[in-house]
Protein backbone atom coordinates (compact mmCIF):
# COMPACT_ATOMS: atom_id res chain seq x y z
CA UNK A 1 0.00 0.00 0.00
CA UNK A 2 1.28 3.49 -0.89
CA UNK A 3 0.00 6.65 0.80
CA UNK A 4 0.84 10.30 0.11
CA UNK A 5 1.95 12.10 3.28
CA UNK A 6 3.37 15.46 4.26
CA UNK A 7 5.42 16.48 7.28
CA UNK A 8 7.41 19.54 8.38
CA UNK A 9 11.19 20.01 8.30
CA UNK A 10 12.61 23.27 9.64
CA UNK A 11 9.39 25.09 8.71
CA UNK A 12 9.08 23.59 5.21
CA UNK A 13 6.45 21.05 4.20
CA UNK A 14 8.00 17.89 2.74
CA UNK A 15 6.10 15.60 0.37
CA UNK A 16 6.46 11.91 1.07
CA UNK A 17 5.21 8.45 0.19
CA UNK A 18 4.57 5.89 2.93
CA UNK A 19 4.74 2.25 1.83
CA UNK A 20 3.22 -0.41 4.09
CA UNK A 21 2.79 -4.17 3.67
CA UNK A 22 -0.47 -5.00 1.89
CA UNK A 23 -1.41 -7.58 4.47
CA UNK A 24 -0.60 -5.58 7.60
CA UNK A 25 -3.00 -5.71 10.51
CA UNK A 26 -2.45 -5.43 14.22
CA UNK A 27 0.86 -4.58 15.90
CA UNK A 28 2.82 -1.41 15.01
CA UNK A 29 5.38 -1.95 12.27
CA UNK A 30 9.14 -1.52 12.19
CA UNK A 31 9.98 1.31 9.79
CA UNK A 32 12.79 2.49 7.53
CA UNK A 33 13.32 6.04 6.26
CA UNK A 34 14.71 5.92 2.69
CA UNK A 35 16.44 9.08 1.45
CA UNK A 36 17.05 9.82 -2.25
CA UNK A 37 20.28 10.69 -4.14
CA UNK A 38 21.42 14.21 -4.92
CA UNK A 39 19.39 15.42 -7.87
CA UNK A 40 16.89 12.62 -7.42
CA UNK A 41 13.30 12.55 -6.20
CA UNK A 42 11.27 10.13 -4.11
CA UNK A 43 9.70 8.35 -7.11
CA UNK A 44 13.03 7.03 -8.43
CA UNK A 45 15.47 4.58 -6.81
CA UNK A 46 14.35 5.47 -3.27
CA UNK A 47 10.87 4.13 -4.06
CA UNK A 48 12.32 0.97 -5.62
CA UNK A 49 14.05 0.12 -2.36
CA UNK A 50 11.15 1.33 -0.20
CA UNK A 51 8.55 -0.74 -2.04
CA UNK A 52 10.66 -3.90 -1.88
CA UNK A 53 11.37 -3.47 1.83
CA UNK A 54 7.64 -2.96 2.41
CA UNK A 55 7.03 -6.36 0.81
CA UNK A 56 9.33 -7.78 3.50
CA UNK A 57 7.20 -6.39 6.32
CA UNK A 58 8.51 -2.86 6.90
CA UNK A 59 6.80 0.49 6.73
CA UNK A 60 9.03 2.63 4.54
CA UNK A 61 8.98 6.39 4.09
CA UNK A 62 10.46 8.17 1.08
CA UNK A 63 10.28 11.93 0.64
CA UNK A 64 11.47 14.78 -1.54
CA UNK A 65 14.19 16.81 0.13
CA UNK A 66 13.42 20.39 1.03
CA UNK A 67 13.74 22.70 -2.01
CA UNK A 68 13.32 19.71 -4.33
CA UNK A 69 10.62 17.65 -6.01
CA UNK A 70 7.17 18.33 -4.55
CA UNK A 71 8.52 19.70 -1.27
CA UNK A 72 8.62 23.36 -0.29
CA UNK A 73 11.61 25.69 -0.37
CA UNK A 74 13.30 28.37 -2.47
CA UNK A 75 15.52 28.53 -4.44
CA UNK A 76 14.43 25.38 -6.16
CA UNK A 77 17.00 22.63 -6.22
CA UNK A 78 19.10 23.99 -3.35
CA UNK A 79 21.43 21.29 -2.01
CA UNK A 80 22.06 22.12 1.63
CA UNK A 81 23.62 19.10 3.40
CA UNK A 82 22.58 20.31 6.83
CA UNK A 83 18.97 20.70 5.70
CA UNK A 84 19.14 17.30 3.99
CA UNK A 85 20.21 15.74 7.31
CA UNK A 86 17.45 17.65 9.10
CA UNK A 87 14.97 16.23 6.58
CA UNK A 88 16.03 12.72 7.63
CA UNK A 89 15.50 13.58 11.29
CA UNK A 90 12.13 15.14 10.45
CA UNK A 91 11.09 11.96 8.64
CA UNK A 92 11.96 9.95 11.74
CA UNK A 93 9.96 12.37 13.87
CA UNK A 94 6.96 11.97 11.60
CA UNK A 95 7.11 8.19 11.86
CA UNK A 96 7.26 8.34 15.67
CA UNK A 97 3.91 10.16 15.72
CA UNK A 98 2.04 7.44 13.82
CA UNK A 99 0.09 4.79 15.72
CA UNK A 100 0.92 2.15 13.11
CA UNK A 101 4.70 2.57 13.58
CA UNK A 102 6.80 1.25 16.46
CA UNK A 103 8.96 4.27 17.44
CA UNK A 104 11.55 1.98 19.01
CA UNK A 105 12.15 0.16 15.70
CA UNK A 106 13.10 2.81 13.13
CA UNK A 107 16.07 2.50 10.78
CA UNK A 108 17.30 4.60 7.87
CA UNK A 109 18.72 3.95 4.41
CA UNK A 110 20.56 6.54 2.32
CA UNK A 111 21.36 6.18 -1.38
CA UNK A 112 24.22 8.04 -3.12
CA UNK A 113 24.47 11.53 -1.53
CA UNK A 114 21.98 10.41 1.11
CA UNK A 115 24.49 7.69 1.92
CA UNK A 116 26.28 10.63 3.49
CA UNK A 117 23.26 12.49 4.84
CA UNK A 118 21.71 9.49 6.62
CA UNK A 119 24.86 8.53 8.59
CA UNK A 120 25.42 12.22 9.38
CA UNK A 121 21.89 12.54 10.80
CA UNK A 122 22.19 9.26 12.67
CA UNK A 123 25.36 10.37 14.42
CA UNK A 124 23.26 12.50 16.75
CA UNK A 125 19.76 11.05 16.34
CA UNK A 126 19.65 7.99 18.55
CA UNK A 127 16.10 7.23 17.41
CA UNK A 128 17.67 5.74 14.27
CA UNK A 129 18.44 2.24 15.51
CA UNK A 130 20.12 0.86 12.38
CA UNK A 131 21.92 2.75 9.58
CA UNK A 132 22.40 1.52 6.01
CA UNK A 133 23.66 3.00 2.75
CA UNK A 134 23.77 2.04 -0.93
CA UNK A 135 26.41 3.55 -3.25
CA UNK A 136 27.24 6.21 -0.67
CA UNK A 137 29.14 9.39 -1.47
CA UNK A 138 30.21 12.41 0.53
CA UNK A 139 28.73 15.29 -1.45
CA UNK A 140 31.36 17.81 -0.38
CA UNK A 141 34.22 15.64 -1.55
CA UNK A 142 32.45 14.70 -4.78
CA UNK A 143 31.59 18.27 -5.81
CA UNK A 144 34.55 20.15 -4.34
CA UNK A 145 37.43 17.68 -4.71
CA UNK A 146 36.02 15.81 -7.68
CA UNK A 147 35.57 12.10 -8.26
CA UNK A 148 38.77 10.42 -7.10
CA UNK A 149 39.82 13.68 -5.40
CA UNK A 150 41.48 15.07 -8.50
CA UNK A 151 40.75 18.78 -7.92
CA UNK A 152 43.03 21.00 -5.86
CA UNK A 153 42.06 23.55 -3.17
CA UNK A 154 42.11 26.41 -5.67
CA UNK A 155 38.93 24.98 -7.19
CA UNK A 156 37.04 25.47 -3.94
CA UNK A 157 38.25 29.05 -3.57
CA UNK A 158 36.99 29.89 -7.05
CA UNK A 159 33.66 28.20 -6.32
CA UNK A 160 33.25 30.17 -3.08
CA UNK A 161 34.01 33.43 -4.88
CA UNK A 162 31.27 32.54 -7.32
CA UNK A 163 28.85 31.53 -4.55
CA UNK A 164 29.15 34.93 -2.89
CA UNK A 165 28.51 36.72 -6.16
CA UNK A 166 25.50 34.49 -6.80
CA UNK A 167 23.99 35.29 -3.40
CA UNK A 168 24.21 38.97 -4.31
CA UNK A 169 22.64 38.29 -7.69
CA UNK A 170 19.86 36.31 -6.03
CA UNK A 171 19.17 39.22 -3.67
CA UNK A 172 18.76 41.39 -6.76
CA UNK A 173 16.10 38.90 -7.92
CA UNK A 174 18.21 37.53 -10.72
CA UNK A 175 17.60 33.91 -11.67
CA UNK A 176 19.86 31.53 -9.72
CA UNK A 177 22.82 30.19 -11.68
CA UNK A 178 22.59 26.41 -11.81
CA UNK A 179 24.67 23.40 -12.76
CA UNK A 180 23.57 19.99 -13.99
CA UNK A 181 23.85 16.96 -11.77
CA UNK A 182 24.16 14.62 -14.75
CA UNK A 183 25.16 15.30 -18.37
CA UNK A 184 22.10 15.98 -20.49
CA UNK A 185 23.43 14.03 -23.48
CA UNK A 186 25.66 10.97 -23.91
CA UNK A 187 27.66 12.80 -26.57
CA UNK A 188 31.32 13.22 -25.66
CA UNK A 189 31.11 10.96 -22.59
CA UNK A 190 33.05 8.04 -24.07
CA UNK A 191 36.08 8.74 -21.86
CA UNK A 192 34.15 10.10 -18.87
CA UNK A 193 34.10 8.25 -15.53
CA UNK A 194 31.50 5.50 -15.29
CA UNK A 195 29.50 7.46 -12.70
CA UNK A 196 28.75 10.31 -15.09
CA UNK A 197 27.98 8.08 -18.07
CA UNK A 198 25.60 6.01 -15.98
CA UNK A 199 24.02 9.05 -14.34
CA UNK A 200 23.16 10.42 -17.78
CA UNK A 201 21.63 7.10 -18.80
CA UNK A 202 19.58 6.87 -15.58
CA UNK A 203 18.42 10.43 -14.93
CA UNK A 204 18.10 11.82 -18.47
CA UNK A 205 16.37 8.90 -20.18
CA UNK A 206 13.10 7.00 -19.64
CA UNK A 207 15.09 4.42 -17.65
CA UNK A 208 14.93 6.50 -14.47
CA UNK A 209 14.05 10.04 -15.47
CA UNK A 210 11.19 11.85 -13.72
CA UNK A 211 9.64 15.24 -14.44
CA UNK A 212 10.33 16.43 -10.88
CA UNK A 213 14.01 15.55 -11.13
CA UNK A 214 15.14 18.72 -12.88
CA UNK A 215 18.86 17.85 -12.97
CA UNK A 216 19.81 21.31 -11.65
CA UNK A 217 21.37 22.57 -8.42
CA UNK A 218 22.05 26.26 -7.67
CA UNK A 219 25.79 26.88 -7.67
CA UNK A 220 25.56 28.98 -4.54
CA UNK A 221 24.82 25.75 -2.64
CA UNK A 222 28.58 25.27 -2.55
CA UNK A 223 29.12 27.66 0.38
CA UNK A 224 26.99 25.30 2.50
CA UNK A 225 28.38 22.12 1.00
CA UNK A 226 32.00 23.21 1.58
CA UNK A 227 31.71 23.06 5.39
CA UNK A 228 30.04 19.65 5.48
CA UNK A 229 31.69 16.28 6.12
CA UNK A 230 29.50 13.16 6.09
CA UNK A 231 31.81 10.88 8.01
CA UNK A 232 34.06 13.00 10.25
CA UNK A 233 32.07 11.95 13.33
CA UNK A 234 30.89 8.58 12.09
CA UNK A 235 32.15 6.88 15.25
CA UNK A 236 29.13 8.39 17.01
CA UNK A 237 26.84 5.89 15.28
CA UNK A 238 28.24 3.05 17.43
CA UNK A 239 27.08 0.95 19.21
CA UNK A 240 24.20 1.06 16.72
CA UNK A 241 24.94 -1.01 13.58
CA UNK A 242 26.15 0.37 10.25
CA UNK A 243 25.85 -1.42 6.89
CA UNK A 244 27.29 0.08 3.70
CA UNK A 245 26.57 -1.61 0.35
CA UNK A 246 28.65 -0.94 -2.76
CA UNK A 247 29.24 -2.49 -6.14
CA UNK A 248 32.63 -4.03 -6.81
CA UNK A 249 32.92 -1.89 -9.96
CA UNK A 250 31.66 1.40 -8.47
CA UNK A 251 34.10 4.26 -8.96
CA UNK A 252 32.63 5.79 -5.79
CA UNK A 253 33.37 2.73 -3.67
CA UNK A 254 36.21 4.46 -1.84
CA UNK A 255 33.73 6.63 0.07
CA UNK A 256 32.16 3.62 1.78
CA UNK A 257 35.47 1.81 2.27
CA UNK A 258 36.96 4.80 4.06
CA UNK A 259 33.82 5.45 6.09
CA UNK A 260 33.70 1.84 7.31
CA UNK A 261 37.37 2.06 8.25
CA UNK A 262 36.68 5.15 10.36
CA UNK A 263 33.52 3.81 12.01
CA UNK A 264 33.38 1.77 15.19
CA UNK A 265 31.50 -1.51 15.23
CA UNK A 266 29.19 -3.15 14.66
CA UNK A 267 29.85 -2.34 11.02
CA UNK A 268 29.91 -4.12 7.67
CA UNK A 269 30.89 -3.31 4.10
CA UNK A 270 28.88 -5.51 1.73
CA UNK A 271 30.21 -5.69 -1.84
CA UNK A 272 27.99 -6.86 -4.70
CA UNK A 273 30.11 -8.37 -7.43
CA UNK A 274 29.89 -6.71 -10.84
CA UNK A 275 27.71 -3.79 -9.75
CA UNK A 276 28.53 -0.17 -10.45
CA UNK A 277 27.30 2.90 -8.55
CA UNK A 278 24.14 3.46 -10.62
CA UNK A 279 23.49 -0.22 -11.39
CA UNK A 280 22.48 -0.53 -7.74
CA UNK A 281 19.71 2.02 -8.35
CA UNK A 282 17.42 -0.14 -10.46
CA UNK A 283 18.95 -3.25 -12.01
CA UNK A 284 17.37 -6.37 -10.53
CA UNK A 285 20.59 -8.36 -10.85
CA UNK A 286 22.07 -6.10 -8.17
CA UNK A 287 19.06 -4.62 -6.38
CA UNK A 288 17.76 -8.06 -5.36
CA UNK A 289 20.89 -9.06 -3.39
CA UNK A 290 21.06 -5.55 -1.92
CA UNK A 291 17.46 -5.75 -0.69
CA UNK A 292 18.05 -9.27 0.63
CA UNK A 293 21.01 -7.99 2.62
CA UNK A 294 19.05 -4.98 3.88
CA UNK A 295 16.10 -7.16 4.88
CA UNK A 296 18.35 -9.35 6.99
CA UNK A 297 20.16 -6.35 8.47
CA UNK A 298 17.02 -4.49 9.52
CA UNK A 299 15.39 -7.75 10.58
CA UNK A 300 18.26 -8.41 12.98
CA UNK A 301 18.52 -4.91 14.40
CA UNK A 302 14.94 -3.61 14.38
CA UNK A 303 13.65 -6.40 16.59
CA UNK A 304 10.73 -6.04 18.96
Amino acid sequence: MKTNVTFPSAGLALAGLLFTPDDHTGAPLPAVVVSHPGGGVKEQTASIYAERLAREGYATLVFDAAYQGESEGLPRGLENPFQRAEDVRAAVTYLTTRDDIDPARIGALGICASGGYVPFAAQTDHRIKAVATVSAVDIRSLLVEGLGRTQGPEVLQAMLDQAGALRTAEARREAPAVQNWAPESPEGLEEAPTLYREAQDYYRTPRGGHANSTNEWPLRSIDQIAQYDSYAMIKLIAPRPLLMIIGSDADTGYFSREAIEQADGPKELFVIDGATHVALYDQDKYVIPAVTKLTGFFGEHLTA
Side-chain angles (χ1 to χ4, degrees):
M1 183 179 297
K2 180 171 66 174
T3 306
N4 290 296
V5 300
T6 59
F7 57 92
S9 177
L12 298 172
L14 303 192
L17 297 171
L18 181 68
F19 293 86
T20 52
D22 289 336
D23 57 354
H24 172 249
T25 57
L29 290 163
V32 180
V33 170
V34 184
S35 187
H36 66 70
V41 289
K42 62 185 182 298
E43 291 85 0
Q44 296 170 315
T45 185
S47 277
I48 291 175
Y49 277 86
E51 185 172 7
R52 295 188 186 204
L53 286 170
R55 294 177 195 163
E56 301 299 327
Y58 299 92
T60 53
L61 175 62
V62 299
F63 58 91
D64 288 329
Y67 306 97
Q68 300 171 28
E70 295 179 313
S71 293
E72 290 183 342
L74 295 172
R76 299 307 297 164
L78 184 71
E79 190 73 12
N80 179 347
F82 302 99
Q83 177 67 53
R84 290 290 308 262
E86 183 62 23
D87 294 346
V88 173
R89 298 185 191 102
V92 173
T93 297
Y94 170 72
L95 288 175
T96 65
T97 68
R98 292 183 61 98
D99 292 338
D100 55 348
I101 303 298
D102 184 342
R105 293 193 291 160
I106 297 176
L109 167 64
I111 304 169
C112 188
S114 286
Y117 301 141
V118 162
F120 185 84
Q123 289 164 20
T124 55
D125 194 333
H126 287 188
R127 300 172 302 171
I128 301 174
K129 303 301 183 183
V131 182
T133 69
V134 171
S135 295
V137 303
D138 175 68
I139 200 67
R140 180 200 60 82
S141 181
L142 184 66
L143 296 183
V144 172
E145 300 172 332
L147 186 64
R149 302 193 178 102
T150 57
Q151 296 176 167
E154 69 282 354
V155 173
L156 173 58
Q157 295 306 315
M159 294 171 81
L160 292 175
D161 286 343
Q162 185 179 27
L166 291 172
R167 281 184 178 270
T168 298
E170 198 173 309
R172 292 173 176 158
R173 300 189 178 182
E174 298 176 20
V178 297
Q179 184 163 313
N180 288 342
W181 283 103
E184 287 287 348
S185 166
E187 294 180 11
L189 296 181
E190 293 81 8
E191 303 300 322
T194 301
L195 174 64
Y196 300 120
R197 288 186 279 111
E198 287 195 316
Q200 192 282 325
D201 184 59
Y202 180 79
Y203 285 107
R204 310 317 297 162
T205 72
R207 171 185 167 190
H210 191 278
N212 291 340
S213 180
T214 63
N215 197 37
E216 295 178 344
W217 60 279
L219 285 168
R220 69 96 155 159
S221 303
I222 206 68
D223 65 6
Q224 293 164 311
I225 292 170
Q227 294 173 294
Y228 167 78
D229 189 324
S230 296
Y231 310 120
M233 301 295 289
I234 198 169
K235 289 180 181 292
L236 290 178
I237 292 175
R240 292 164 294 148
L242 171 66
L243 169 67
M244 304 188 83
I245 298 175
I246 61 172
S248 63
D249 296 346
D251 45 13
T252 56
Y254 64 93
F255 288 111
S256 296
R257 295 182 189 278
E258 292 175 5
I260 284 289
E261 187 174 332
Q262 295 175 51
D264 287 338
K267 60 184 179 180
E268 181 180 358
L269 179 70
F270 185 70
V271 182
I272 296 179
D273 190 50
T276 57
H277 180 101
V278 178
L280 278 166
Y281 285 15
D282 66 338
Q283 294 184 14
D284 273 351
K285 180 179 179 180
Y286 307 117
V287 172
I288 288 172
V291 170
T292 299
K293 183 66 177 180
L294 290 164
T295 300
F297 173 74
F298 288 125
E300 177 182 358
H301 298 292
L302 299 182
T303 55

